[in-house]
C-alpha cells in the first residue's frame, strides 16, 4: 500500500499532471447537471446488465472471495512496479525504473519456465531474442495471446505476426485464444477474459484481457503491461511482482485453461517452415488450419497492412 501510495503521489505532483478544467473543450453539456446525471445512470444500468457483470454474479469463485470462505494466499515478497511519470515526456528510455526493465530482468533470469499472457503481444526484435535465448537455455517458454479472430485490434495482430515464425523457430510455444473460447471453468474465465463488443477491425467474441507472467513456477506478475511497444515506450503502466509458488500454481491453472486445444489454436511450423494452427473442434476432433483460422478477410487485410507499414511503435 505504501508503494502504491508513493506512485500515486509521484504522478499527482508531477508537471505532466494538470487539472482537468485546463483541458475543457467546447460548450457545456446541454441540459446541465441533470442531463449528466441521466447519462451516468444509463451507463451504470448498461454495465450492471452486461454479460460480464452477469458472469460475476454467477461466479462461485467470486462469491467465495466476498464471503471470505476461500483460502487466502499471503506473501511477504511483493514488489509494486510502476513506470515513472516522466515516461509520458519520452524521458524514460533505458531507464531501470520502468516496468519493462524490471520484467526484462526477471525474464532473463528464468531457469526452468516462463509463461506469458498478453492480449496485445508484439515482442519486437529485442523481446523476441530474449524469449528465444531463454528457451535456448533449456527453459520452457510459452506465450498465450489473442488470435486474429479474437483480438479487438486487428492491426496489433499484424505487428505481432512479424515475429511469430522467429519465436517458433527459437523453441517458444505460442497459443492464440479462439474468439469463442470457454474459459468459464476457472477463475481466469471470470476475471481474465472479456466479451468484446468489437472495434474497427476488432472481434465481437471473447478476447484475452489478462496481462500476466509466471517465472519458474515461483514468481507471478499481474498488471496493466502488455508485451508491446505502446506499453514499453508510450503508456505509463503498473503491476505487482509476487514471489509465491501457491499463486504461481493458481495462475498456471488459468494459463492451462487458456491454452487447452478446445480454447486456443496452437501455432507451429510444418516441415517446410509454414505456419499451421492446431486445435479441437466441438466434436473433439483435431483440426489443422494453414491460414489465420476463423478470421474474416477484412481482418486479414487490416493485419496485413499493419504488418507492412512502419506502425509498430504505435501498436
Amino acid at each position: 500500500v505504501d508503494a502504491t501510495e508513493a506512485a500515486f503521489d509521484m504522478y499527482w505532483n508531477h508537471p505532466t499532471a494538470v487539472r482537468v478544467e485546463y483541458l475543457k473543450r467546447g460548450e457545456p453539456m446541454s441540459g446541465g447537471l441533470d442531463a449528466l446525471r441521466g447519462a451516468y445512470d444509463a451507463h451504470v444500468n448498461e454495465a450492471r446488465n452486461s454479460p460480464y457483470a452477469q458472469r460475476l454474479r454467477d461466479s462461485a469463485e467470486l462469491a467465495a472471495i466476498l464471503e471470505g470462505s476461500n483460502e487466502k494466499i499471503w506473501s511477504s515478497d511483493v514488489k509494486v512496479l510502476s513506470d515513472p511519470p516522466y515516461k509520458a515526456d519520452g524521458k524514460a528510455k533505458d531507464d531501470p525504473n520502468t516496468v519493462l526493465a524490471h520484467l526484462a530482468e526477471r525474464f532473463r533470469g528464468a531457469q526452468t519456465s516462463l509463461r506469458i499472457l498478453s492480449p496485445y503481444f508484439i515482442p519486437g526484435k529485442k523481446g523476441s531474442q530474449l524469449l528465444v535465448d531463454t528457451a535456448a537455455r533449456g527453459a520452457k517458454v510459452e506465450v498465450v495471446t489473442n488470435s486474429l479472430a479474437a483480438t479487438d485490434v486487428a492491426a496489433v495482430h499484424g505487428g505481432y505476426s512479424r515475429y511469430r515464425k522467429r519465436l517458433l523457430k527459437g523453441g517458444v510455444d505460442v497459443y492464440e485464444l479462439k474468439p469463442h473460447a470457454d474459459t468459464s471453468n476457472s477463475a481466469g474465465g471470470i476475471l481474465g477474459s472479456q466479451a468484446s463488443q468489437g472495434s474497427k477491425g476488432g472481434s465481437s467474441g471473447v478476447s484475452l484481457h489478462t496481462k500476466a507472467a509466471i517465472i519458474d513456477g515461483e514468481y507471478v506478475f499481474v498488471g496493466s503491461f502488455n508485451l508491446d511497444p505502446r506499453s514499453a515506450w508510450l503508456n505509463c503502466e503498473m503491476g505487482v511482482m509476487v514471489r509465491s509458488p501457491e499463486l504461481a500454481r493458481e495462475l498456471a491453472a488459468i494459463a492451462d485453461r487458456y491454452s487447452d486445444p478446445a480454447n486456443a489454436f496452437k501455432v507451429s511450423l510444418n516441415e517446410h517452415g509454414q505456419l499451421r494452427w492446431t486445435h479441437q473442434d466441438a466434436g473433439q476432433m483435431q483440426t489443422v488450419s494453414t491460414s489465420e483460422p476463423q478470421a474474416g478477410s477484412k481482418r486479414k487485410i487490416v493485419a496485413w497492412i499493419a504488418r507492412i507499414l512502419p506502425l509498430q511503435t504505435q501498436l
Side-chain angles (χ1 to χ4, degrees), residues 104 107-108 114 125-135:
F107 288 177
R108 289 192 191 97
L114 172 59
K125 292 181 180 179
K126 290 184 178 180
S128 297
Q129 193 61 50
L130 188 156
L131 298 180
V132 168
D133 289 346
T134 303

Side-chain angles (χ1 to χ4, degrees), residues 161-210:
S161 67
R162 288 183 176 189
Y163 305 98
R164 196 161 37 190
K165 284 189 177 182
R166 182 181 305 183
L167 293 170
L168 294 170
K169 289 178 180 178
V172 177
D173 292 333
V174 178
Y175 297 87
E176 297 178 359
L177 194 73
K178 294 180 180 180
H180 303 291
D182 178 12
T183 57
S184 58
N185 288 354
S186 71
I190 302 299
L191 303 177
S193 61
Q194 65 177 3
S196 171
Q197 299 304 311
S199 61
K200 188 172 183 180
S203 168
S204 59
V206 171
S207 64
L208 176 68
H209 198 59
T210 301

Side-chain angles (χ1 to χ4, degrees), residues 119-124 145-149 151-165 176 201 228-229 275 292 298-313 315:
Y120 305 143
F121 178 68
I122 308 176
T145 189
N146 282 311
S147 65
L148 177 56
T151 184
D152 60 347
V153 185
V156 169
H157 192 87
Y160 144 70
S161 67
R162 288 183 176 189
Y163 305 98
R164 196 161 37 190
K165 284 189 177 182
E176 297 178 359
D228 67 2
L275 290 167
E292 304 276 3
K298 289 183 178 179
R299 300 167 70 71
K300 291 180 179 179
I301 291 171
V302 170
W304 177 79
I305 292 174
R307 178 188 175 100
I308 65 172
L309 293 179
L311 302 174
Q312 185 172 316
T313 57
L315 298 176

Side-chain angles (χ1 to χ4, degrees), residues 96-107:
N97 297 312
T98 62
V99 176
L100 174 63
H102 288 290
L103 286 180
E105 180 182 9
R106 184 62 65 188
F107 288 177

